Amino acid sequence: GLRMKKALICLLITAFFLAGCATPQQFERDDFCAAGTTLLDAHFDGGQLGDCTISETGDFELTLFPEDEPPINKSPWYAYRVSGQPGDQVTIRMKFHNGYARYWPKTSLDGNQWARVPADTVARTADDEMVVNLQLEQARIWVAGQEVLARDFYSQWIDRLEAQPGVDTRLVGKSVQGRPIILAETADRPEFILMMGRQHPPEVTGAIAMQSFIDTVLGDSDLAHRFRERFKLGIVPVMNPDGVAAGYWRHNVNGVDVNRDWGPFTQPESSSVIRWVQQQETEGRTLQLMLDFHSTFEDLFYTQPVSEDPPDFASIWLGASAQRLPDFPFKHAANPVSEQPNAKNYFYKSRGIPAVTYESGDETTREMLEYSATIFAEEMMKVMLATSP
């Protein structure tokens, strides 16, 4: 059939050009799907429609697939546009292969401003499918598991970073598909700090928190100026640009979890950043802290086991933050160091420094993500400035 022909074409292209289809993908995805006067499409960065069919009643039925399996983290991403006549009623049933309905749907009228779909228009079935009933407010709307923060978002953010006094941006490498890995850095200092985000594509709330956190440490406050006078900052807003663009659940286009490649360094994304770190160290600078921004089911921080004497960085930092955030419950998960080659374990074991995975809750509101990140950034700067050089 048509799918077999498409698969054969893909294999031929791979054989001749060793590109394009040379990925571990096992699932056929549709870029668009039409029923009557209504069109669903995923023709944008971050778009993910999965496999789309039309039911006998004219409803859309989407099956969302991971980019490859096994293994795969169950973070079933979806993002598509719905186009039609204003006032149209549209029903979309989503099924998640090797996953479940983790992300509550959000909608946008412009692809920039997002809102949760009202509870009375969404149903979860017994087998954890999700049914969304929409009435089009205009000729097209966006639907996604989280806000779509892809190429345009990061281009604008990097432009903002470049425009800030005392901040330079540089290309430190490229992704598998040739997208740039951009790092923003402040003035050279004897000590430096690494902050990075979006190793896992669907973890959008972590990206929102990271942007506010970075805005605070690069801000114009006396605290931020003193902090940058002592520490050089290295900031990588998006570590997995290919996965973000493709609407992946977890991996890069080689089927590798970038946050399981710290130590092996088999992938260009992680290799690009560690080269920058090693360059700083070769030039005599000392890495003092690593922060890695992610998302999970709740707001929490993964750190190393705590110490009481002297108190460890994370306990002081998060304790002080908690005092200022009485209405923002979060957890401090001080876990034993494992052999898993993630960034937190790698930097702690190889450098002996605090290395923290900053996890934002899937459904934490943007307002609380931004406000709490500002507090966490301020308290981090205070604790780091109080440490001995």
Side-chain angles (χ1 to χ4, degrees):
L2 178 60
R3 292 188 185 280
M4 185 171 290
K5 290 179 181 177
K6 290 166 73 175
L8 181 59
I9 291 169
C10 189
L11 287 172
L12 289 171
I13 293 173
T14 300
F16 282 102
F17 297 103
L18 297 177
C21 301
T23 77
Q25 295 179 18
Q26 298 178 2
F27 304 108
E28 190 68 44
R29 290 176 167 83
D30 294 322
D31 289 327
F32 68 92
C33 187
T37 60
T38 307
L39 172 72
L40 268 59
D41 84 275
H43 289 295
F44 54 91
D45 264 19
Q48 175 58 264
L49 189 61
D51 179 75
C52 179
T53 59
I54 309 300
S55 73
E56 293 181 356
T57 58
D59 298 338
F60 293 92
E61 296 187 342
L62 309 183
T63 302
L64 283 304
F65 298 102
E67 58 270 15
D68 56 83
E69 66 171 16
I72 189 71
N73 177 277
K74 298 184 189 305
S75 304
W77 177 253
Y78 55 93
Y80 44 85
R81 274 183 299 226
V82 185
S83 303
Q85 301 296 321
D88 281 356
Q89 297 286 340
V90 182
T91 297
I92 303 165
R93 180 182 298 274
M94 292 185 286
K95 298 183 291 185
F96 304 95
H97 178 82
N98 195 13
Y100 54 94
R102 173 173 170 176
Y103 301 116
W104 189 265
K106 286 83 178 172
T107 59
S108 173
L109 299 179
D110 60 4
N112 295 309
Q113 300 296 316
W114 294 81
R116 284 170 58 92
V117 173
D120 60 1
T121 63
V122 178
R124 281 192 171 107
T125 63
D127 53 0
D128 212 17
E129 296 179 2
M130 179 178 280
V131 181
V132 183
N133 295 290
L134 300 170
Q135 182 176 34
L136 296 187
E137 298 179 49
Q138 58 185 36
R140 64 175 182 171
I141 65 171
W142 282 257
V143 179
Q146 297 284 17
E147 298 185 24
V148 177
L149 305 184
R151 178 179 54 188
D152 290 347
F153 172 82
Y154 285 103
S155 293
Q156 292 167 15
W157 187 2
I158 290 166
D159 287 347
R160 282 177 49 201
L161 291 172
E162 288 178 339
Q164 291 216 211
V167 179
D168 293 315
T169 58
R170 62 190 288 185
L171 176 72
V172 292
K174 61 182 185 297
S175 67
V176 176
Q177 293 184 329
R179 291 181 175 86
I181 308 294
I182 300 294
L183 180 142
E185 60 186 356
T186 56
D188 289 341
R189 302 286 185 252
E191 303 167 281
F192 72 105
I193 292 170
L194 175 65
M195 294 176 277
M196 55 190 178
R198 213 67 185 277
Q199 296 203 69
H200 298 147
E203 298 182 9
V204 168
T205 56
I208 294 169
M210 182 182 185
Q211 189 175 60
S212 289
F213 194 100
I214 297 304
D215 285 347
T216 305
V217 299
L218 294 180
D220 200 32
S221 69
D222 176 68
L223 175 63
H225 280 290
R226 288 189 291 116
F227 183 68
R228 298 195 303 273
E229 281 296 316
R230 176 168 168 185
F231 297 100
K232 176 175 184 173
L233 309 179
I235 301 157
V236 187
V238 55
M239 283 285 302
N240 185 0
D242 295 347
V244 170
Y248 282 176
W249 293 18
R250 182 79 170 186
H251 298 158
N252 71 356
V253 297
N254 281 340
V256 175
D257 184 338
V258 178
N259 199 32
R260 300 295 182 271
D261 193 48
W262 292 92
F265 298 116
T266 65
Q267 300 305 299
E269 295 89 351
S270 53
S271 298
S272 297
V273 175
I274 197 61
R275 282 197 300 269
W276 179 85
V277 171
Q278 292 168 342
Q279 177 189 357
Q280 304 308 305
E281 293 171 333
T282 299
E283 294 173 1
R285 300 180 193 98
T286 304
L287 184 63
Q288 298 288 22
L289 174 66
M290 190 285 301
L291 299 177
D292 184 19
F293 291 79
H294 287 259
S295 303
T296 190
F297 304 99
E298 57 187 337
D299 298 279
L300 63 86
F301 293 80
Y302 289 114
T303 74
Q304 292 71 49
V306 302
S307 62
E308 303 298 333
D309 187 21
D312 61 282
F313 159 80
S315 294
I316 299 172
W317 169 38
L318 298 176
S321 300
Q323 293 293 316
R324 297 181 60 192
L325 292 167
D327 299 321
F328 183 75
F330 65 90
K331 294 181 180 178
H332 177 192
N335 296 335
V337 180
S338 73
E339 295 305 310
Q340 187 181 85
N342 61 38
K344 174 177 66 70
N345 287 337
Y346 170 77
F347 282 105
Y348 175 71
K349 291 195 292 186
S350 66
R351 306 312 196 271
I353 61 168
V356 180
T357 307
Y358 183 135
E359 299 270 11
S360 296
D362 287 341
E363 301 302 330
T364 303
T365 66
R366 176 179 266 274
E367 178 185 24
M368 284 308 300
L369 290 168
E370 293 173 342
Y371 175 68
S372 61
T374 298
I375 303 303
F376 286 125
E378 290 174 352
E379 295 304 321
M380 180 276 292
M381 291 189 286
K382 291 176 186 176
V383 177
M384 291 301 296
L385 284 169
T387 62
S388 300

mmCIF file of all heavy atoms in Angstrom, residues 28-43:
data_model
loop_
_atom_site.group_PDB
_atom_site.id
_atom_site.type_symbol
_atom_site.label_atom_id
_atom_site.label_comp_id
_atom_site.label_asym_id
_atom_site.label_seq_id
_atom_site.Cartn_x
_atom_site.Cartn_y
_atom_site.Cartn_z
ATOM 1 N N GLU A 28 5.281 5.525 11.121
ATOM 2 C CA GLU A 28 4.873 6.456 10.072
ATOM 3 C C GLU A 28 4.061 7.587 10.690
ATOM 4 O O GLU A 28 3.143 7.352 11.472
ATOM 5 C CB GLU A 28 4.022 5.728 9.037
ATOM 6 C CG GLU A 28 3.759 6.539 7.791
ATOM 7 C CD GLU A 28 5.013 6.761 6.975
ATOM 8 O OE1 GLU A 28 5.790 5.809 6.783
ATOM 9 O OE2 GLU A 28 5.238 7.904 6.551
ATOM 10 N N ARG A 29 4.409 8.825 10.337
ATOM 11 C CA ARG A 29 3.688 9.976 10.863
ATOM 12 C C ARG A 29 3.058 10.738 9.708
ATOM 13 O O ARG A 29 3.605 10.800 8.617
ATOM 14 C CB ARG A 29 4.628 10.904 11.625
ATOM 15 C CG ARG A 29 5.129 10.328 12.946
ATOM 16 C CD ARG A 29 6.137 11.293 13.563
ATOM 17 N NE ARG A 29 6.417 10.954 14.935
ATOM 18 C CZ ARG A 29 7.292 10.040 15.317
ATOM 19 N NH1 ARG A 29 7.956 9.354 14.412
ATOM 20 N NH2 ARG A 29 7.505 9.796 16.591
ATOM 21 N N ASP A 30 1.917 11.329 9.990
ATOM 22 C CA ASP A 30 1.251 12.156 8.990
ATOM 23 C C ASP A 30 1.552 13.621 9.258
ATOM 24 O O ASP A 30 1.636 14.054 10.416
ATOM 25 C CB ASP A 30 -0.263 11.936 9.037
ATOM 26 C CG ASP A 30 -0.648 10.516 8.623
ATOM 27 O OD1 ASP A 30 -0.011 9.989 7.695
ATOM 28 O OD2 ASP A 30 -1.571 9.949 9.229
ATOM 29 N N ASP A 31 1.682 14.397 8.187
ATOM 30 C CA ASP A 31 1.876 15.835 8.317
ATOM 31 C C ASP A 31 0.557 16.593 8.269
ATOM 32 O O ASP A 31 0.490 17.748 8.681
ATOM 33 C CB ASP A 31 2.795 16.354 7.212
ATOM 34 C CG ASP A 31 4.233 15.903 7.402
ATOM 35 O OD1 ASP A 31 4.655 15.762 8.560
ATOM 36 O OD2 ASP A 31 4.919 15.688 6.393
ATOM 37 N N PHE A 32 -0.484 15.942 7.714
ATOM 38 C CA PHE A 32 -1.794 16.590 7.678
ATOM 39 C C PHE A 32 -2.879 15.522 7.577
ATOM 40 O O PHE A 32 -2.610 14.364 7.252
ATOM 41 C CB PHE A 32 -1.909 17.569 6.502
ATOM 42 C CG PHE A 32 -1.913 16.896 5.159
ATOM 43 C CD1 PHE A 32 -3.105 16.522 4.553
ATOM 44 C CD2 PHE A 32 -0.712 16.642 4.497
ATOM 45 C CE1 PHE A 32 -3.099 15.890 3.313
ATOM 46 C CE2 PHE A 32 -0.709 16.028 3.258
ATOM 47 C CZ PHE A 32 -1.911 15.649 2.661
ATOM 48 N N CYS A 33 -4.104 15.932 7.870
ATOM 49 C CA CYS A 33 -5.246 15.023 7.861
ATOM 50 C C CYS A 33 -6.490 15.878 7.705
ATOM 51 O O CYS A 33 -6.634 16.888 8.406
ATOM 52 C CB CYS A 33 -5.277 14.237 9.158
ATOM 53 S SG CYS A 33 -6.507 12.928 9.246
ATOM 54 N N ALA A 34 -7.393 15.510 6.779
ATOM 55 C CA ALA A 34 -8.566 16.334 6.497
ATOM 56 C C ALA A 34 -9.838 15.520 6.622
ATOM 57 O O ALA A 34 -9.884 14.343 6.267
ATOM 58 C CB ALA A 34 -8.469 16.935 5.095
ATOM 59 N N ALA A 35 -10.874 16.177 7.128
ATOM 60 C CA ALA A 35 -12.210 15.591 7.206
ATOM 61 C C ALA A 35 -13.206 16.696 6.902
ATOM 62 O O ALA A 35 -13.318 17.666 7.654
ATOM 63 C CB ALA A 35 -12.472 14.990 8.588
ATOM 64 N N GLY A 36 -13.919 16.573 5.777
ATOM 65 C CA GLY A 36 -14.851 17.618 5.400
ATOM 66 C C GLY A 36 -14.120 18.926 5.159
ATOM 67 O O GLY A 36 -13.158 18.989 4.395
ATOM 68 N N THR A 37 -14.545 19.972 5.854
ATOM 69 C CA THR A 37 -13.914 21.287 5.698
ATOM 70 C C THR A 37 -12.863 21.563 6.764
ATOM 71 O O THR A 37 -12.365 22.677 6.863
ATOM 72 C CB THR A 37 -14.980 22.395 5.763
ATOM 73 O OG1 THR A 37 -15.646 22.322 7.032
ATOM 74 C CG2 THR A 37 -15.998 22.236 4.642
ATOM 75 N N THR A 38 -12.510 20.546 7.567
ATOM 76 C CA THR A 38 -11.558 20.732 8.664
ATOM 77 C C THR A 38 -10.241 20.050 8.334
ATOM 78 O O THR A 38 -10.224 18.919 7.833
ATOM 79 C CB THR A 38 -12.119 20.168 9.977
ATOM 80 O OG1 THR A 38 -13.401 20.727 10.227
ATOM 81 C CG2 THR A 38 -11.188 20.512 11.138
ATOM 82 N N LEU A 39 -9.143 20.743 8.620
ATOM 83 C CA LEU A 39 -7.795 20.238 8.342
ATOM 84 C C LEU A 39 -6.975 20.255 9.613
ATOM 85 O O LEU A 39 -6.952 21.253 10.347
ATOM 86 C CB LEU A 39 -7.125 21.119 7.284
ATOM 87 C CG LEU A 39 -5.635 20.853 6.993
ATOM 88 C CD1 LEU A 39 -5.471 19.542 6.234
ATOM 89 C CD2 LEU A 39 -5.034 22.009 6.199
ATOM 90 N N LEU A 40 -6.292 19.167 9.892
ATOM 91 C CA LEU A 40 -5.267 19.118 10.935
ATOM 92 C C LEU A 40 -3.913 19.036 10.244
ATOM 93 O O LEU A 40 -3.748 18.262 9.293
ATOM 94 C CB LEU A 40 -5.446 17.899 11.834
ATOM 95 C CG LEU A 40 -6.295 18.047 13.100
ATOM 96 C CD1 LEU A 40 -7.704 18.479 12.753
ATOM 97 C CD2 LEU A 40 -6.310 16.743 13.893
ATOM 98 N N ASP A 41 -2.948 19.833 10.694
ATOM 99 C CA ASP A 41 -1.608 19.735 10.125
ATOM 100 C C ASP A 41 -0.557 19.964 11.196
ATOM 101 O O ASP A 41 -0.826 20.550 12.252
ATOM 102 C CB ASP A 41 -1.428 20.731 8.974
ATOM 103 C CG ASP A 41 -1.047 22.120 9.441
ATOM 104 O OD1 ASP A 41 -1.958 22.907 9.777
ATOM 105 O OD2 ASP A 41 0.160 22.421 9.496
ATOM 106 N N ALA A 42 0.651 19.475 10.892
ATOM 107 C CA ALA A 42 1.795 19.629 11.796
ATOM 108 C C ALA A 42 2.970 20.243 11.048
ATOM 109 O O ALA A 42 4.128 19.913 11.304
ATOM 110 C CB ALA A 42 2.179 18.273 12.383
ATOM 111 N N HIS A 43 2.665 21.158 10.142
ATOM 112 C CA HIS A 43 3.701 21.782 9.321
ATOM 113 C C HIS A 43 4.321 22.977 10.038
ATOM 114 O O HIS A 43 4.239 24.115 9.574
ATOM 115 C CB HIS A 43 3.125 22.218 7.973
ATOM 116 C CG HIS A 43 2.804 21.085 7.051
ATOM 117 N ND1 HIS A 43 3.769 20.253 6.534
ATOM 118 C CD2 HIS A 43 1.623 20.633 6.564
ATOM 119 C CE1 HIS A 43 3.206 19.347 5.758
ATOM 120 N NE2 HIS A 43 1.906 19.549 5.758
#
